[in-house]
Amino acid sequence: DLQVDITELDIDEGSALLFCTDGLTNLVLEREILAAVKEQTDPEASAASLIEMANSRGGFDNITVVLATDIGGK
């Protein structure tokens, strides 16, 4: 049997959503993740930067990053 959790969120225009595995969050602090997302205008470059940061700190687990930017609004 498969159990699915569904959550609805109101997202402000211009927001970003980051989906990642613990391979990232175990090695990179939340404030560092936020800074990396804010510093880049290209979401692909931000994701690559985060993966590189985690790898440089050992990268001992799978590191997956999906970043969606400029979302939200009505």
Side-chain angles (χ1 to χ4, degrees):
D1 293 326
L2 176 65
Q3 294 181 341
V4 178
D5 292 327
I6 298 174
T7 303
E8 291 186 28
L9 301 170
D10 289 324
I11 300 173
D12 294 330
E13 188 172 345
S15 293
L17 284 178
L18 175 73
F19 301 92
C20 64
T21 59
D22 61 351
L24 177 71
T25 59
N26 285 338
L27 296 170
V28 181
L29 299 173
E30 284 183 29
R31 62 182 162 81
E32 293 174 310
I33 294 170
L34 180 61
V37 171
K38 284 184 166 185
E39 287 173 5
Q40 297 280 344
T41 58
D42 176 20
E44 192 171 333
S46 292
S49 173
L50 290 168
I51 292 169
E52 182 178 320
M53 193 180 309
N55 277 325
S56 74
R57 296 176 184 180
F60 54 83
D61 197 357
N62 294 329
I63 304 163
T64 302
V65 176
V66 177
L67 179 60
T69 59
D70 295 326
I71 59 171
K74 302 287 182 204

